[in-house]
Amino acid sequence: MTFFSVLDILGTIAFAASGALSAMNRKLDLFGIFIIAFVTAIGGGTVRDILIGNTPVSWMQNTMYIYLIGSVTIVSVILRNKLDYLRKSLFLFDTIGLGVFTIIGVEIGIQSGLESIVCVALGAMTGCFGGAIRDILCNEIPVIFRKEIYATASIAGGVCYMALHTFGVNQNIIYTSTTLLIIIIRLLVVRYRVSLPIFSVKA
């Protein structure tokens, strides 16, 4: 198993847990929890695969993802009372998933021979769209549309990935450093309440 495959599994686990916790916060039943966990984990990758013409999409070609997400859902439900701070747990899993799935999207764009800016966009889609679908299904405004820096962190990570790739840095170092950069940005902006400006039109 390659380091890239390990990251893919870790990202799937993180986003599945994020979706399950979000669903439990909304007091959904077990089926609802699984569906939210599932779309959170595979939503971004599905959009990416469709855009680049990689069909059937990855989770349809490898049913391991379905069993993995199902297992994470069950474990999350069983351990729900052990997670004293659900919001903090949700933030942590969501941030890890964002970092890991961003670099997966960028790497797949590179493997497909796409331009750098498109690779960065694919990374952001892979990292952000699963969470956006989760939020919509949970009747919330997607985090990428709020003032909280989310997609911007993903884009910054994608740009970092492309820069390191251009200079021929070791692939495992690129994976690790890019993921850590995204996680650190998210932690810092939430810790110090940094946000993008909000604009509105007077009624």
Side-chain angles (χ1 to χ4, degrees):
M1 181 178 291
T2 65
F3 188 47
F4 186 78
S5 299
V6 172
L7 286 176
D8 191 21
I9 292 173
L10 289 176
T12 300
I13 292 172
F15 263 156
S18 167
L21 289 172
S22 184
M24 283 187 279
N25 282 340
R26 304 297 291 182
K27 294 181 171 55
L28 301 186
D29 63 19
L30 183 59
F31 179 74
I33 295 170
F34 171 75
I35 293 300
I36 299 299
F38 186 76
V39 298
T40 304
I42 59 89
T46 298
V47 173
R48 177 202 65 223
D49 288 347
I50 291 173
L51 287 175
I52 65 176
N54 180 27
T55 54
V57 295
S58 56
W59 64 269
M60 291 182 176
Q61 298 183 52
N62 187 354
T63 55
M64 177 270 295
Y65 291 103
I66 299 175
Y67 297 120
L68 180 60
I69 295 169
S71 300
V72 172
T73 300
I74 293 172
V75 171
S76 298
V77 171
I78 293 174
L79 298 180
R80 66 188 183 281
N81 293 326
K82 301 292 184 181
L83 301 173
D84 296 327
Y85 304 100
L86 286 180
R87 292 189 63 183
K88 291 183 179 180
S89 299
L90 174 58
F91 170 79
L92 177 61
F93 286 123
D94 197 46
T95 299
I96 294 173
L98 176 67
V100 172
F101 273 21
T102 294
I103 67 170
I104 289 174
V106 174
E107 175 63 22
I108 290 177
I110 293 173
Q111 293 175 2
S112 300
L114 300 175
E115 293 289 335
S116 297
I117 190 170
V118 178
C119 293
V120 173
L122 279 180
M125 290 177 187
T126 308
C128 298
F129 278 25
I133 297 172
R134 173 202 65 209
D135 292 343
I136 291 171
L137 291 178
C138 290
N139 198 30
E140 298 178 359
I141 298 175
V143 67
I144 61 172
F145 299 142
R146 301 179 212 158
K147 65 178 181 178
E148 183 180 324
I149 292 177
Y150 190 84
T152 307
S154 177
I155 293 171
V159 171
C160 174
Y161 188 109
M162 292 305 305
L164 294 176
H165 176 76
T166 301
F167 287 108
V169 177
N170 178 273
Q171 203 70 18
N172 290 342
I173 294 177
I174 295 177
Y175 292 157
T176 305
S177 58
T178 303
T179 302
L180 288 176
L181 173 64
I182 295 172
I183 292 173
I184 290 171
I185 290 175
R186 285 281 291 148
L187 291 174
L188 289 177
V189 298
V190 171
R191 172 65 178 81
Y192 295 103
R193 300 183 179 180
V194 179
S195 62
L196 296 175
I198 296 175
F199 300 94
S200 61
V201 178
K202 292 183 178 180

